[in-house]
Amino acid sequence: MENFITGRAENYKTAVKCCSGEDASSVDSKDSMLEAGEYLERLSFWQRPRQRVDLEFNDVTYSVKLSRQEQKTIVHGVSGEFKSGELVAVLGPSGAGKSTLINILAGYRTKDANGQVLVNGVERNLRQFRKMSCYIMQDDVLLPHLTVMESMMVSANLHLRESLSLEEKERVINEILLNLGLTETADTRLNEISGGQRKRLAIALELVNNPPLIFLDEPTSGLDSSSAFQCISLMRTLAHGGRTVVCTIHQPSAKLFEMFDKLYILAEGNCLFQGTVQDLIPYLASEGLECPKYHNPADYKVASGEYGENVIPRLVKAWKAREEAETQKKSLTSSTSSSYDSRNMVVSILPNCNVKTSTDSIIHAASQTTQFLVLFKRAAQSIFRDRIFTHLRFVSTASVGLLIGLLYHGIGNDGSKVFNNTGCLFFSLLFLMFTSLMPTVLTFPMEKLVFIREHLNNWYSLKSYYLANTMADVPLQILFPVIYCTIVYFMTDQPNEGLRYTQFVAVTILTCLVAQSIGLLIGTVAPSLPTAVYVAPVTGIPVLLFSGFFVNFDTIPKYMQWLTYVSYARYSWEGTVVAIYGNKRGPLECKDRRCIFTNSEEVLASMDVEENALYLEGAKVYFDCLVLSLFFIILRLAAYLVLRYKVKSYH
């Protein structure tokens, strides 16, 4: 993999000189310049070198509130600089503040952070910064039902220019997969690939955009020594290709430790050292800390406090003194030279030299329509390939429908079995309600993590994602009620009228959509999957209690009657009862001598349902459908706003 860069070193250097605007005299010959231009033409988009993007941070502090009066500082005024072309490792024991610092520098955690972050010497613009950087988190949360190639194609369609042909996008993808050793797994689903392949795929998905700044949080976590070496080798190759690569790492082996260009060591939220790997041991020796011979420097646990409680404060003080001395030295020369460009831009080196473009033109973001279509296709693929929550739902819906149809066979028009029939109708609503609610509760928390990672890495907008995911599942929310209701309706011998059947199906479909919206809202609000799984059924209990099936409206205490108006199950139940027994259905058959009800009006009265409350014939069903539609819209909007708030909390 090292040959990917070193094998092209001469042309690479010549190309960089040519396109960075250096004097032609600095290039060996005209032939070399032509070779460099041809070389850049042959390079795919993601391989083209970029102008250096240096990241500098000064006096960064981060604190969290433990209580109203107690506050804990995790990062204590650290400073440093990460330069282009270097692979930087942020080291330190658990709780040192490594991930917190990376989150702050990557722009994922800025709310309670203080300090200054500079990009090429200019104050960071977070919106523009996100377009030139990517953050690969420790947990590789990927959609399991897509293949490697399909995931890469989604990234390409969202990141690359829409004018590029499918063949050109595939060429870029194939080159990335080849250099990352993922070609053989291109047609393998993500739930079947290894941990090391998942790590490399997470990196490959971001490389499509060719970011000049890459952050990684514990990229070797959970990997064996071979996969970890492959991962760090890849990071080193990317860094030496002109990118700035910063990663946190926990206790690397000696072999991995030597692969890093720079180290940034933290302990208790303070910086102990920043410099090259070769300078670490001499620096510690100068402070009276000798690393044992043949000992892995990464295992020399000075930062963990094993060599005394006073070691860390002493090293922090020594390093701050050295930083102050270097700052004074730099201030003396800053008036005569400047190493930064005055504009907050990213420069893409293209075959036509000396062309500078802003970050907006580099990112090649897709239009809202393209984003919607790509995300809708991805969501539909994930849904239809999910054997548990799609295939199993189909089988369970049909089988339960047959079971209910056999159990309540032929009772729909029997006046002596009205209570059995209403029990059948209510159970049908209950079954469809929870089969729509629970799958969303179980799947969306994982999808939410994927969304947050991709959205913050500037893949797509929140509107496109939310609309695509909402629309992708609607066909199933219509199909399953239709299958179930068709089986149950005709097997239980409900009125053989097209209008009643349509009204019954419409009410159940809207009930499923509302229940799914509640599951979406719970999955968005809940901090974890176990919490969401517990909360979802609990929230359904009061909704069902005030539906009107268990307790009539007049029986409910007056101070609690308002709860029936905010229970969507009430409108579902009323709409179902009116669809079956309303609209002047007429007399019922009495197959038993003890006929409880002889006409439909008596049934409605016993159920405390006023059909003509709106003084319009048959309008009750349409009113209930309208209210259910409003519940659907309000809940979907609430879930969108909560998701938007959660995204903004990262800003």
Side-chain angles (χ1 to χ4, degrees):
M1 192 174 292
E2 288 289 341
N3 292 333
F4 168 62
I5 294 297
T6 56
R8 304 180 176 97
E10 294 302 322
N11 278 339
Y12 177 86
K13 293 177 182 178
T14 306
V16 171
K17 287 181 180 180
C18 170
C19 295
S20 60
E22 291 189 17
D23 194 354
S25 60
S26 63
V27 183
D28 296 336
S29 66
K30 185 177 181 180
D31 292 337
S32 298
M33 294 178 66
L34 292 175
E35 289 179 6
E38 293 175 358
Y39 168 65
L40 283 168
E41 288 281 5
R42 291 195 300 269
L43 281 177
S44 63
F45 176 79
W46 78 279
Q47 291 174 326
R48 289 172 183 164
R50 293 275 184 91
Q51 186 182 7
R52 61 188 303 129
V53 176
D54 297 337
L55 184 67
E56 183 182 355
F57 53 99
N58 300 312
D59 198 23
V60 172
T61 304
Y62 182 79
S63 302
V64 292
K65 289 185 177 180
L66 301 179
S67 63
R68 291 184 178 180
Q69 297 179 348
E70 188 177 1
Q71 190 170 349
K72 180 181 179 181
T73 302
I74 299 177
V75 179
H76 300 264
V78 297
S79 302
E81 185 178 13
F82 301 146
K83 294 186 176 181
S84 176
E86 296 177 345
L87 174 60
V88 183
V90 180
L91 294 169
S94 298
K98 304 187 299 295
S99 297
T100 302
L101 178 61
I102 288 292
N103 287 336
I104 294 171
L105 297 181
Y108 274 41
R109 187 175 294 176
T110 59
K111 185 178 180 181
D112 298 316
N114 296 314
Q116 187 181 43
V117 180
L118 304 176
V119 179
N120 285 353
V122 180
E123 186 74 26
R124 178 178 66 179
N125 182 309
L126 193 58
R127 183 181 180 88
Q128 298 297 323
F129 181 77
R130 288 244 172 90
K131 294 180 180 182
M132 69 174 73
S133 65
C134 72
Y135 185 21
I136 301 170
M137 301 179 183
Q138 180 177 353
D139 298 326
D140 304 315
V141 184
L142 303 170
L143 296 179
H145 303 293
L146 299 181
T147 65
V148 171
M149 177 58 75
E150 288 170 346
S151 299
M152 291 294 294
M153 186 56 68
V154 169
S155 179
N157 288 331
L158 293 173
H159 282 132
L160 300 181
R161 295 189 302 270
E162 296 183 34
S163 59
L164 291 178
S165 64
L166 179 62
E167 291 74 15
E168 291 174 315
K169 292 179 181 178
E170 288 180 346
R171 182 172 65 86
V172 174
I173 292 172
N174 289 329
E175 289 183 358
I176 295 175
L177 295 180
L178 178 63
N179 284 281
L180 271 64
L182 293 172
T183 303
E184 295 181 356
T185 61
D187 297 323
T188 307
R189 292 193 184 182
L190 303 190
N191 58 354
E192 299 174 356
I193 62 177
S194 66
Q197 290 168 339
R198 292 175 67 85
K199 288 285 184 183
R200 281 178 278 158
L201 177 60
I203 297 169
L205 292 172
E206 302 298 338
L207 285 183
V208 172
N209 189 37
N210 191 19
L213 195 55
I214 302 175
F215 297 95
L216 302 100
D217 188 16
E218 299 282 359
T220 61
S221 177
L223 301 183
D224 55 57
S225 58
S226 176
S227 298
F229 178 77
Q230 275 187 323
C231 183
I232 299 302
S233 297
L234 172 63
M235 294 298 99
R236 182 181 174 89
T237 299
L238 294 174
H240 291 179
R243 300 171 182 85
T244 304
V245 182
V246 183
C247 64
T248 63
I249 191 165
H250 187 69
Q251 273 191 293
S253 63
K255 190 175 183 180
L256 295 182
F257 187 75
E258 293 177 352
M259 297 179 68
F260 292 100
D261 300 308
K262 292 289 180 65
L263 302 175
Y264 194 91
I265 302 178
L266 288 170
E268 299 177 359
N270 294 285
C271 179
L272 300 186
F273 174 79
Q274 180 182 200
T276 63
V277 175
Q278 295 77 16
D279 292 339
L280 175 61
I281 301 301
Y283 171 74
L284 293 177
S286 67
E287 298 297 329
L289 296 167
E290 293 285 348
C291 180
K293 197 173 183 181
Y294 306 115
H295 194 83
N296 179 10
D299 291 332
Y300 185 42
K301 300 180 180 178
V302 174
S304 63
E306 289 188 7
Y307 291 84
E309 297 180 357
N310 297 326
V311 171
I312 294 178
R314 179 161 59 86
L315 289 176
V316 171
K317 185 177 181 180
W319 185 253
K320 285 185 176 180
R322 175 173 289 201
E323 283 184 332
E324 290 176 0
E326 291 181 356
T327 301
Q328 292 178 357
K329 186 177 179 181
K330 286 182 180 179
S331 62
L332 295 176
T333 59
S334 60
S335 58
T336 58
S337 63
S338 177
S339 61
Y340 295 106
D341 188 4
S342 61
R343 291 165 295 180
N344 188 12
M345 285 185 168
V346 181
V347 177
S348 177
I349 302 181
L350 303 174
N352 49 335
C353 302
N354 299 328
V355 177
K356 296 185 178 182
T357 57
S358 68
T359 54
D360 288 325
S361 60
I362 288 176
I363 206 68
H364 300 307
S367 64
Q368 293 283 339
T369 304
T370 302
Q371 291 176 16
F372 170 78
L373 293 175
V374 171
L375 295 174
F376 180 85
K377 180 181 177 182
R378 183 178 74 170
Q381 285 178 325
S382 298
I383 290 172
F384 287 106
R385 289 178 184 176
D386 193 338
R387 295 182 179 179
I388 296 178
F389 292 116
T390 301
H391 300 180
L392 183 60
R393 280 174 67 189
F394 178 82
V395 174
S396 63
T397 299
S399 59
V400 172
L402 289 172
L403 177 63
I404 297 300
L406 293 172
L407 183 63
Y408 295 97
H409 185 267
I411 69 169
N413 200 37
D414 193 344
S416 62
K417 297 180 180 179
V418 169
F419 289 121
N420 291 335
N421 192 41
T422 54
C424 169
L425 298 175
F426 188 80
F427 175 83
S428 297
L429 288 175
L430 187 65
F431 172 72
L432 293 173
M433 185 188 305
F434 278 98
T435 53
S436 299
L437 173 68
M438 294 309 298
T440 306
V441 170
L442 292 170
T443 57
F444 188 72
M446 187 272 290
E447 294 177 0
K448 181 176 66 175
L449 297 177
V450 175
F451 158 73
I452 290 175
R453 173 180 60 83
E454 294 176 345
H455 178 70
L456 292 180
N457 282 335
N458 207 55
W459 284 39
Y460 45 74
S461 67
L462 172 58
K463 294 178 182 177
S464 299
Y465 168 81
Y466 192 77
L467 185 61
N469 270 40
T470 299
M471 296 297 293
D473 201 42
V474 167
L476 291 182
Q477 298 301 329
I478 296 175
L479 177 64
F480 291 138
V482 169
I483 294 173
Y484 179 86
C485 292
T486 302
I487 295 173
V488 170
Y489 191 90
F490 293 104
M491 287 189 69
T492 56
D493 198 20
Q494 303 300 330
N496 192 14
E497 299 178 21
L499 179 61
R500 294 184 187 276
Y501 168 76
T502 303
Q503 291 175 344
F504 177 60
V505 172
V507 171
T508 55
I509 289 174
L510 288 171
T511 301
C512 290
L513 291 174
V514 173
Q516 188 208 22
S517 302
I518 292 177
L520 192 64
L521 181 60
I522 293 173
T524 305
V525 174
S528 63
L529 179 59
T531 304
V533 172
Y534 174 78
V535 169
V538 172
T539 57
I541 293 175
V543 170
L544 296 174
L545 281 176
F546 292 96
S547 63
F549 177 78
F550 297 103
V551 183
N552 289 340
F553 184 79
D554 294 335
T555 309
I556 301 174
K558 291 185 178 180
Y559 61 87
M560 298 182 68
Q561 288 180 354
W562 64 273
L563 292 172
T564 62
Y565 295 103
V566 296
S567 170
Y568 72 92
R570 172 197 173 181
Y571 303 97
S572 300
W573 173 238
E574 283 186 354
T576 301
V577 172
V578 173
I580 300 300
Y581 289 102
N583 301 330
K584 296 183 179 181
R585 175 175 172 175
L588 302 175
E589 296 180 3
C590 289
K591 298 180 181 179
D592 195 334
R593 292 181 180 179
R594 295 175 298 176
C595 191
I596 303 174
F597 299 100
T598 58
N599 57 70
S600 59
E601 286 77 8
E602 294 177 356
V603 177
L604 294 177
S606 67
M607 296 296 166
D608 198 19
V609 175
E610 299 179 5
E611 180 186 4
N612 297 322
L614 299 178
Y615 305 102
L616 292 173
E617 187 68 28
K620 187 64 175 176
V621 176
Y622 303 112
F623 173 77
D624 292 329
C625 290
L626 176 62
V627 175
L628 289 173
S629 300
L630 292 176
F631 269 103
F632 170 72
I633 294 172
I634 292 171
L635 289 170
R636 288 295 170 115
L637 182 60
Y640 171 80
L641 294 175
V642 171
L643 197 58
R644 183 180 178 185
Y645 172 78
K646 284 187 174 290
V647 170
K648 283 191 173 183
S649 66
Y650 288 92
H651 293 184

